Amino acid sequence: MAKLKYFLPRLTRQWTHLERQMGGVGTRGGPGEAQIEIDMVVGIDIGTSSTKVIIQDPSTDNSWAIPFTNQARNPYLLPSQVYLKDTRYKLEGASANKLSELKLPLIFQEYTEENLEHLTAFIALVLRQSREWFIRNIAYLLN
């Protein structure tokens, strides 16, 4: 909770770089490039061994399953594990740094703050990767 309180003031006004700069001859100040806001529903199914993500546009009922790999077998299933090295979390890494069984401590209600931190980091990475895929592959269709 302390981390969230620390980052909250640092996350405000993150999009000011989209505003026009003041100054120059014959220019006006004010809003520049507009941010595109789209309401989407993100469904994350975190299983004990794999995770899948679906993004849905509620206005059109279009849905997209997010592929996490280029494997032909099943690109839509991501192993439910995270890798931790030097206080940095990643979705891929060396097996020595692998943290798996992210969900089991919650199921058995035997979790610690550290378990919750690992699971939160995993969810954040999954959301970031899903958002990046959506922006690269789908967002341009919605304009």
Side-chain angles (χ1 to χ4, degrees):
M1 191 60 139
K3 284 182 185 178
L4 294 175
K5 288 180 181 177
Y6 171 81
F7 281 114
L8 181 62
R10 287 155 182 81
L11 295 174
T12 58
R13 312 258 320 141
Q14 287 289 305
W15 304 108
T16 56
H17 64 281
L18 295 176
E19 295 177 1
R20 291 185 189 148
Q21 295 182 359
M22 299 290 289
V25 177
T27 61
R28 296 181 184 195
E33 179 181 342
Q35 295 181 45
I36 299 171
E37 292 188 16
I38 302 169
D39 289 331
M40 292 290 160
V41 176
V42 178
I44 302 175
D45 180 6
I46 300 175
T48 53
S49 62
S50 60
T51 297
K52 55 188 166 229
V53 178
I54 303 289
I55 295 179
Q56 181 182 20
D57 180 354
S59 65
T60 64
D61 287 333
N62 288 335
S63 297
W64 301 274
I66 306 300
F68 289 99
T69 66
N70 293 329
Q71 295 176 356
R73 201 174 80 168
N74 197 343
Y76 303 103
L77 293 179
L78 176 71
S80 294
Q81 58 198 21
V82 68
Y83 297 85
L84 175 63
K85 183 175 181 183
D86 300 330
T87 69
R88 291 195 55 137
Y89 289 97
K90 296 181 180 183
L91 290 176
E92 298 175 346
S95 61
N97 304 321
K98 180 171 72 170
L99 303 168
S100 56
E101 299 183 0
L102 299 172
K103 187 176 176 181
L104 288 178
L106 291 176
I107 292 172
F108 296 118
Q109 297 182 357
E110 298 173 354
Y111 55 88
T112 64
E113 190 171 320
E114 186 177 40
N115 296 125
L116 293 176
E117 185 178 316
H118 299 327
L119 182 60
T120 303
F122 175 72
I123 293 170
L125 290 169
V126 167
L127 283 172
R128 181 173 61 183
Q129 188 165 337
S130 300
R131 179 181 177 271
E132 289 172 1
W133 178 88
F134 183 81
I135 289 170
R136 273 194 321 270
N137 296 285
I138 303 298
Y140 71 93
L141 295 174
L142 302 176
N143 290 334

